[in-house]
């Protein structure tokens, strides 16, 4: 039995408020936590599959051209080498999240340095790695590769759907008493999930089982089926535990296709694990951006014009581009607007979704520009933002669903004691340290995704939740357990949540921050159906029913589930589809960041001393896991502000810093104790559980609070991220 629901109107029932069991919203520990800390959670590389061979990818050492020969025969049969797979389908690029089709790819064509060319399979990993290193690949090199997105002769195109020209921005700029007209740059990023990508493929007849580490299993089996030219029904994919994704596992990547092809050809299971440099070079990168921001406001600080024109990059023919202006469209008003994206076609690793594609870098820069405008207009930065929160969407003229942006600004200012901040840039000094304060706004679009889950109330009175939804460290196991527990009146230890297996109903996957609200909604819907069945059995009305600690009934007469069920079980599938509420209301999450930094006047080193984030994201399903998501986002924000940067070789586009020693993400010593405050909110248009996405909100603008604080400390504006010490040194007072 399926409970289907299309989100065409607001759900104002707020059923999860005041549930007897009291699980939803509470900071419940993750049920999967003990397995993880005791090493018992099985990650992709840890499956024990009998007779498994090992494959290592051999990859291009040119940036553009054609493969003319792969010298396999000298290797095969020696030193454990079983096969060298050179199937054209290996050349498939990492797929983009949500896309079911293989991206275009010419046969044997090389488009970037590090692109997979062949898979060497051997009895052991070491044998395969050695053979992959000595495998001779011959090329016909093309000289016209492009590596610099900003070079005059680099080809570019403008995606039609992402150009907006409203009113007359040039005139607004000319007429305004205060303006900002600046160009900012952000560097490329790697997702840098802790668990490197891995796939273990085994075939039984025409049925493929793939143990891997992916975010969106329902989409991923379609991608894999498409790449292998088989039907998705013949694929079972398992990812019960995923050691972080951050976008890099939204789509399948080369190891999945390679393992599947090799296992089929050889007739034995094959494991393909990527090394850290391979993760950097063959999965995907966040595009670097060049962002031209123009802001115009009157004496009152109210925006009259807003321009945000961006250059990003990707491989030729790739559809995805970093949607830099995604939040710029709706966060602030201003009648005259020019927003656009241009895509440079370059020969670097495929561009894709990395940690809040769009807002992470777009809000970061817009919030720097707002800081500059606040200073130009002589208005407090918090107040400037408050004055520019529009009543209706400034382009589409639709209302907003829940939006606690102003409350987040006010609450943040109060908690941070913003009124006591340093007010004159470069004037607060403690010994060698220049101290400064900065803030920024946060916004991220909210999405509901189609999803299904099955919930079964077993005859013994316990419940099982099943969906192919994943938990990528986000807390899915916890929140689905909490929702089912509350809806069915069961303590958490009576609910078993099973995830990450495509034999279960198709979940929404973990991406774009939609996982918790979408998967949570279908568990909710399935449970509503089960409650109705229980009410039928009891001959009462579902609305009158009390469900508590494994018993149900009306008044004081509760009967235990085993008694009510009498050996039967009740199972239901919840199914949700997005509907009109997503079209008719601008749905997003909002917040604010406040940071205190100290910049060493002698060395230029920046230390973040305090950081606060205040967020409104609809109903919070688990206070602890939601807070942790925000900690993570803000820590990435510190990295984006200060250290994180992909460096490409100008000569061939290869990634120079392709490991975690040289690609600097923040570590414990870089991060102060961060404070996160979650605002009470219900979004009735977002989902039947009034929750919105929170996963990526914490990064969307976070870096700007840090760089705005650096300006406040030093009076130096760094508009070229990250704000490393070399960009500060020359202008610091002691030099
Ligand atoms: Mo995300 S970058 O949609 O995993």
């Amino acid at each position: 039995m399926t409970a289907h629901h299309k989100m065409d109107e607001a759900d104002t029932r707020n059923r999860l408020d005041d549930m007897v069991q009291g699980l939803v919203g509470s900071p419940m520990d993750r049920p999967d936590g003990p397995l993880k800390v005791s090493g018992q959670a099985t990650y992709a590389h840890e499956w024990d599959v009998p007779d498994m061979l090992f494959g290592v990818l051999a990859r291009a050492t040119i940036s553009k051209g054609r493969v003319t020969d792969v010298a396999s025969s000298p290797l095969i049969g020696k030193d454990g080498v079983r096969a060298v797979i050179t199937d054209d389908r290996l050349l498939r690029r990492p797929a983009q999240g949500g896309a079911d089709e293989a991206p275009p790819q010419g046969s044997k064509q090389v488009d970037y340095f590090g692109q997979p060319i062949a898979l060497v399979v051997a009895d052991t990993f070491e044998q395969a790695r050695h053979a992959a290193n000595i495998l001779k690949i011959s090329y016909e090199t093309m000289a016209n590769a492009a590596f610099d997105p900003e070079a005059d002769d680099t080809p570019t195109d403008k995606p039609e759907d992402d150009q907006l020209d409203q009113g007359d921005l040039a005139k607004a700029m000319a007429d305004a008493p205060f303006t900002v007209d600046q160009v900012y740059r952000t560097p490329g990023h790697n997702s840098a999930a802790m668990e490197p990508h891995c796939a273990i493929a085994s075939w039984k007849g025409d049925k493929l089982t793939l143990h891997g580490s992916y975010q969106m299993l329902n989409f991923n089996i379609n991608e894999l089926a498409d790449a292998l030219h088989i039907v998705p029904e013949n694929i079972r994919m398992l990812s019960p535990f995923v050691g972080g994704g951050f976008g890099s596992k939204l789509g399948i990547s080369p190891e999945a296709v390679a393992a599947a092809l090799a296992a089929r050809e050889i007739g034995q299971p094959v494991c393909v694990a990527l090394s850290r440099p391979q993760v950097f070079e063959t999965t995907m990168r966040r595009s670097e951006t060049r962002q031209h921001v123009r802001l115009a406001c009157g004496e009152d600080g109210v925006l009259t014009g807003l321009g945000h024109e961006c250059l990003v990059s990707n491989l030729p023919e790739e559809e995805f581009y970093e949607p830099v202006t995604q939040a710029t469209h709706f966060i602030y008003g201003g009648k005259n607007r020019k927003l656009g994206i241009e895509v440079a076609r370059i020969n670097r690793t495929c561009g894709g979704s990395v940690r809040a594609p769009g807002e992470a870098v777009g809000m970061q820069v817009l919030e720097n520009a707002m800081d500059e405008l606040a200073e130009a207009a002589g208005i407090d930065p918090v107040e400037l933002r408050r004055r520019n929160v529009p009543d209706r969407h400034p382009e589409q003229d639709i209302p907003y669903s829940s939006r606690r942006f102003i409350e987040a600004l006010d609450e943040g200012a109060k908690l941070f004691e913003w009124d006591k901040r340093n007010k004159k840039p470069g004037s607060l000094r403690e010994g060698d340290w220049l101290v400064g304060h900065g803030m920024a706004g946060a916004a991220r679009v909210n999405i509901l995704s189609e999803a299904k889950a099955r919930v079964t109330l077993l005859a013994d009175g316990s419940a099982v939740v099943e969906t192919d939804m994943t938990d990528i460290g986000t807390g899915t196991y916890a929140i689905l357990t909490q929702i089912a527990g509350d809806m069915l009146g069961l303590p958490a230890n009576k609910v078993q949540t099973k995830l990450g297996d495509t034999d279960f109903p198709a979940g929404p996957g973990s991406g774009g921050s939609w996982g918790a609200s979408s998967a949570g909604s279908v568990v909710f819907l399935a449970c509503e159906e089960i409650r109705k069945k229980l009410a039928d059995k009891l001959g009462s009305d579902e609305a009158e029913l009390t469900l508590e600690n494994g018993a149900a009934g009306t008044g004081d007469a509760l009967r235990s589930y085993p008694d009510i069920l009498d050996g039967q079980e009740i199972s239901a599938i919840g199914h949700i589809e997005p509907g009109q509420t997503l079209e008719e209301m601008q749905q997003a999450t909002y917040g604010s960041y406040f940071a205190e930094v100290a910049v060493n006047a002698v060395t230029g080193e920046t230390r973040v001393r305090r950081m606060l984030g205040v967020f409104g994201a609809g109903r919070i399903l688990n206070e602890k896991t939601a807070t942790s998501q925000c900690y993570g986002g803000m820590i990435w924000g510190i990295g984006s502000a200060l250290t994180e940067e992909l460096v490409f070789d100008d000569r061939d586009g290869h990634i120079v810093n392709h490991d975690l020693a040289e690609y600097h993400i923040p570590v414990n010593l870089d991060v102060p104790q961060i404070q996160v405050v979650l605002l009470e909110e219900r979004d009735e248009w977002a989902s039947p559980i009034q929750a919105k996405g929170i996963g990526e909100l914490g990064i969307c603008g976070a870096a700007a609070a840090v760089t705005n604080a650096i300006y406040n400390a030093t009076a130096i504006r760094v508009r070229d991220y990250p704000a490393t010490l070399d960009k500060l040194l020359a202008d610091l007072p002691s030099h």
Side-chain angles (χ1 to χ4, degrees):
M1 145 191 32
T2 299
H4 173 259
H5 184 77
K6 193 151 184 267
M7 202 63 201
D8 280 329
E9 46 198 82
D11 188 329
T12 57
R13 298 175 303 157
N14 283 305
R15 288 204 81 170
L16 291 176
D17 286 345
D18 311 315
M19 296 300 279
V20 182
Q21 212 69 39
L23 295 172
V24 170
S26 76
M28 190 185 93
D29 288 345
R30 299 161 189 263
D32 47 316
L35 285 179
K36 287 180 174 171
V37 296
S38 62
Q40 296 175 79
T42 310
Y43 287 87
H45 193 263
E46 299 175 322
W47 291 93
D48 195 9
V49 178
D51 299 325
M52 188 164 77
L53 302 172
F54 295 85
V56 170
L57 291 169
R59 298 171 313 118
T61 51
I62 65 163
S63 318
K64 188 171 181 182
R66 233 169 49 81
V67 175
T68 54
D69 185 52
V70 178
S72 309
S73 25
L75 298 179
I76 294 171
K78 293 198 193 85
D79 297 330
V81 176
R82 300 286 292 270
V84 177
I85 311 287
T86 54
D87 194 297
D88 282 357
R89 284 166 289 187
L90 260 185
L91 295 173
R92 183 193 151 102
R93 293 190 197 114
Q96 302 300 321
D100 289 353
E101 289 168 26
Q105 177 79 69
S107 128
K108 307 274 190 232
Q109 181 183 316
V110 176
D111 283 321
Y112 63 95
F113 191 104
Q115 180 181 310
I117 304 292
L119 183 79
V120 181
V121 185
D123 292 332
T124 69
F125 171 72
E126 289 74 12
Q127 289 167 330
R129 184 178 55 184
H130 178 67
N133 281 340
I134 60 172
L135 176 68
K136 191 168 161 29
I137 301 172
S138 307
Y139 307 94
E140 191 179 291
T141 304
M142 287 166 76
N144 62 340
F147 304 118
D148 179 359
E150 297 196 31
D152 290 341
D153 55 352
T154 296
T156 66
D157 50 77
K158 290 188 175 182
E160 252 172 62
D161 299 353
D162 233 311
Q163 316 298 331
L164 172 90
D165 198 347
Q166 174 181 310
D168 187 344
L169 178 60
K171 184 169 183 314
M173 289 292 288
D175 292 349
F178 306 114
T179 59
V180 170
D181 185 342
Q182 292 290 353
V183 173
Y184 305 79
R185 287 180 177 78
T186 66
H189 288 158
N190 183 266
S191 292
M194 196 166 344
E195 181 201 19
H197 298 57
C198 174
I200 300 174
S202 37
W203 292 82
K204 241 195 194 129
D206 57 3
K207 303 275 188 200
L208 167 65
T209 301
L210 194 102
H211 292 93
S213 184
Y214 303 101
Q215 295 175 224
M216 313 261 298
L217 298 193
N218 178 38
F219 295 93
N220 300 144
I221 51 169
N222 284 306
E223 292 168 335
L224 189 54
D226 181 50
L228 300 173
H229 306 149
I230 62 174
V231 292
E233 290 73 25
N234 281 348
I235 303 177
R236 181 182 182 196
M237 209 182 260
L238 295 115
S239 298
F241 297 102
V242 179
F246 307 108
S248 73
K249 297 168 183 170
L250 281 171
I252 55 170
S253 34
E255 78 286 346
V257 182
L261 287 169
R264 188 164 60 183
E265 192 168 314
I266 301 169
Q268 256 175 269
V270 173
C271 168
V272 180
L274 300 188
S275 65
R276 183 61 66 182
Q278 288 179 333
V279 171
F280 272 81
E281 293 170 2
T282 72
T283 65
M284 54 179 60
R285 63 182 170 92
R286 187 207 295 285
S287 173
E288 72 298 318
T289 70
R290 184 188 69 199
Q291 305 183 41
H292 178 202
V293 183
R294 285 180 286 173
L295 300 175
C297 74
E299 301 283 350
D300 55 2
V302 175
L303 286 166
T304 52
L306 193 168
H308 197 174
E309 291 160 281
C310 311
L311 177 71
V312 300
S313 70
N314 207 340
L315 287 164
E317 292 163 50
E318 279 290 332
E319 267 182 35
F320 177 87
Y321 56 87
E322 182 80 23
V324 186
T325 56
Q326 202 152 256
T328 313
H329 285 286
F330 63 82
I331 184 164
Y332 299 124
K335 240 176 42 212
N336 304 288
R337 308 168 78 85
K338 195 162 184 347
L339 276 59
I341 311 252
E342 188 172 7
V343 189
R345 298 300 173 182
I346 60 170
N347 300 92
R348 286 180 182 172
T349 296
C350 188
S353 292
V354 174
R355 304 181 230 131
E359 286 93 327
V361 287
M363 281 297 292
Q364 159 177 348
V365 162
L366 181 64
E367 291 300 293
N368 284 143
M370 286 295 277
D371 200 61
E372 299 205 39
L373 187 68
E375 188 182 37
I379 297 173
D380 181 283
V382 174
E383 181 57 25
L384 181 75
R385 287 165 176 83
R386 294 175 97 265
R387 290 186 195 176
N388 284 292
V389 176
D391 291 337
R392 291 172 73 85
H393 192 298
E395 297 161 17
Q396 296 171 23
D397 195 31
I398 55 172
Y400 293 83
S401 70
S402 66
R403 177 181 53 170
R404 302 202 70 191
F405 187 27
I406 289 180
E407 292 87 338
L409 292 165
D410 289 348
E411 184 67 12
K414 193 178 92 194
L415 291 170
F416 195 78
E417 301 191 308
W418 180 245
D419 57 336
K420 297 200 183 114
R421 76 191 186 281
N422 174 42
K423 293 201 176 75
K424 188 165 174 286
S427 67
L428 183 60
R429 191 163 178 150
E430 293 173 11
D432 281 344
W433 295 91
L434 296 161
V435 178
H437 303 94
M439 59 79 53
R444 171 76 172 157
V445 290
N446 181 63
I447 298 166
L448 181 71
S449 178
E450 181 172 8
K452 283 184 187 165
R454 178 170 47 232
V455 180
T456 306
L457 184 59
L458 299 168
D460 70 1
S462 69
V464 181
V465 175
E466 294 164 315
T467 162
D468 79 0
M469 174 63 184
T470 49
D471 185 328
I472 60 173
T474 39
T476 316
Y477 281 106
I479 58 137
L480 298 188
T481 298
Q482 288 169 284
I483 292 168
D486 266 4
M487 286 297 287
L488 298 179
L490 290 172
N493 64 9
K494 290 284 181 197
V495 179
Q496 194 191 0
T497 296
K498 297 182 178 177
L499 303 176
D501 181 344
T502 55
D503 275 0
F504 299 145
S510 300
S513 297
W514 61 65
S517 64
S518 308
S521 291
V522 289
V523 169
F524 171 86
L525 293 170
C527 290
E528 272 198 321
E529 194 64 32
I530 293 174
R531 289 167 67 110
K532 283 182 202 152
K533 295 288 158 201
L534 278 173
D536 286 350
K537 283 186 189 289
L538 291 165
S540 60
D541 191 11
E542 190 257 331
E544 316 275 286
L545 220 55
T546 299
L547 299 91
E548 186 177 10
N549 288 328
T554 50
D556 293 335
L558 302 192
R559 284 170 60 196
S560 78
Y561 289 150
D563 181 31
I564 301 171
L565 293 169
D566 192 24
Q568 307 283 303
E569 59 179 42
I570 306 176
S571 192
I573 288 178
H575 177 200
I576 198 156
E577 285 181 272
Q580 287 301 316
T581 58
L582 215 49
E583 313 288 320
E584 289 165 2
M585 308 292 286
Q586 173 62 43
Q587 294 187 19
T589 52
Y590 299 87
S592 65
Y593 311 96
F594 292 79
E596 177 179 301
V597 304
V599 180
N600 192 290
V602 181
T603 66
E605 167 192 7
T606 298
R607 289 272 146 200
V608 179
R609 286 182 165 184
R610 282 199 288 151
M611 199 164 177
L612 163 71
V614 181
F615 305 103
R619 182 193 301 279
I620 298 303
L621 299 168
N622 179 315
E623 197 200 326
K624 185 182 287 180
T625 56
T627 299
S628 290
Q629 290 289 98
C630 298
Y631 286 150
M634 290 166 72
I635 291 167
W636 287 124
I638 292 173
S640 302
L642 300 178
T643 55
E644 214 186 330
E645 174 176 28
L646 281 179
V647 178
F648 297 88
D649 191 310
D650 291 343
R651 298 164 301 179
D652 57 15
H654 89 266
I655 296 171
V656 176
N657 54 346
H658 61 192
D659 55 53
L660 297 178
E662 297 297 328
Y663 181 83
H664 296 150
I665 54 178
V667 298
N668 278 351
L669 282 174
D670 298 316
V671 183
Q673 180 55 53
I674 290 173
Q675 189 187 357
V676 167
V677 174
L678 303 171
L679 297 174
E680 194 65 28
E681 186 178 71
R682 301 283 181 268
D683 195 315
E684 295 157 351
W685 296 271
S687 59
I689 54 175
Q690 296 81 35
K692 293 188 282 191
I694 196 169
E696 294 162 310
L697 179 60
I699 192 177
C700 300
V706 175
T707 45
N708 290 342
I710 291 176
Y711 173 74
N712 182 256
T714 63
I716 303 167
R717 287 274 179 206
V718 179
R719 300 189 183 90
D720 178 12
Y721 280 93
T724 43
L725 49 84
D726 53 299
K727 293 169 189 167
L728 295 165
L729 271 180
D731 298 317
L732 284 169
S734 62
H735 286 262

